[in-house]
Amino acid sequence: QVQLVESGGGLVQPGGSLRLSCAASGSIFSITAMGWYRQAPGKQRELVAVIATGGRTNYADSVKGRFTVSRDNAKNTLYLQMNSLDREDTAVYSCNVKGHFDSYSIFDSWGQGIQVTISS
């Protein structure tokens, strides 16, 4: 089993910044990809940013230039630095981690999700 604990959510004003963290723990042999997703009320869940093998990253067009995804491999922790936040960024953000328990077993785990609210 793999557990994901997210932190760093909250309320900020438009133009502000926020940093999300996701710590993975449990029986982890290796991690192949880690990413952040978000879902606003009445909308489908969408990919925000992902970091995969070799440190390659991918971002949604709506957050490019404003958000930065990174990870600390030694701590199995994922980060999302969010700058120049806008009201449209308001959503529940969820961490996703894909990897292996061992040489044969694959896991795909999700965090509980944390609220990010942008409001004046």
Side-chain angles (χ1 to χ4, degrees):
Q1 59 183 18
V2 176
Q3 295 176 313
L4 305 181
V5 179
E6 299 137 324
S7 61
L11 174 67
V12 295
Q13 296 182 351
S17 298
L18 207 60
R19 190 191 190 206
L20 305 182
S21 298
C22 173
S25 62
S27 183
I28 302 173
F29 177 73
S30 64
I31 293 175
T32 55
M34 305 180 78
W36 290 99
Y37 292 75
R38 69 184 182 186
Q39 186 170 25
K43 297 182 179 180
Q44 294 291 107
R45 185 174 64 188
E46 64 175 346
L47 173 69
V48 177
V50 63
I51 183 167
T53 303
R56 295 177 180 179
T57 58
N58 190 36
Y59 298 89
D61 289 339
S62 61
V63 307
K64 265 187 174 179
R66 299 188 298 122
F67 291 10
T68 302
V69 64
S70 62
R71 68 182 182 187
D72 185 331
N73 292 330
K75 297 180 179 180
N76 285 337
T77 300
L78 177 71
Y79 304 96
L80 183 66
Q81 179 65 47
M82 304 185 291
N83 299 323
S84 301
L85 286 164
D86 185 83
R87 289 181 177 84
E88 294 181 355
D89 295 314
T90 295
V92 173
Y93 286 70
S94 300
C95 174
N96 172 248
V97 179
K98 296 179 174 65
H100 292 80
F101 290 126
D102 51 39
S103 298
Y104 312 99
S105 302
I106 300 172
F107 69 85
D108 185 346
S109 298
W110 291 86
Q112 289 294 112
I114 51 176
Q115 180 69 47
V116 171
T117 302
I118 316 302
S119 177
S120 59

